[in-house]
Amino acid sequence: LSELRSTSAWQQHGHAASALFRYPDLRCVVVAMKPGARMREHQAEGRMTVHCLRGRVRVSMDKGPLELGAQQVLALERCVPHE
């Protein structure tokens, strides 16, 4: 995480990401976010999970927002728009 916090993306946008691995139907991406930072709405072609390692993260979807705390995991199907 310290490497992500030293990137220009972290400084400019308040978040930075790095892919740990990518497969056609699954990818694992580590994202570090500053408190209060937001990501634009996006979607993944494959299934995905959001695992909050520490702190809290709010994930907004069509069904409404969901807040995750440390060590909680959210699984999403393919092509689910979220921010």
Side-chain angles (χ1 to χ4, degrees), residues 14-61:
H15 56 84
S18 177
L20 298 179
F21 61 83
R22 292 176 190 235
Y23 295 104
D25 62 343
L26 175 67
R27 65 182 171 168
C28 182
V29 179
V30 175
V31 180
M33 298 182 76
K34 290 181 180 180
R38 295 186 70 167
M39 294 179 77
R40 290 182 294 154
E41 183 177 285
H42 58 282
Q43 59 189 27
E45 291 181 18
R47 293 183 181 117
M48 62 164 286
T49 61
V50 176
H51 183 172
C52 181
L53 297 176
R54 60 181 160 187
R56 303 193 75 70
V57 64
R58 177 175 290 154
V59 181
S60 296
M61 303 167 285

Side-chain angles (χ1 to χ4, degrees), residues 61-79:
M61 303 167 285
D62 288 343
K63 295 181 179 183
L66 179 66
E67 189 166 307
L68 300 176
Q71 301 307 315
Q72 289 185 308
V73 178
L74 169 67
L76 296 176
E77 278 295 332
R78 293 173 173 88
C79 301

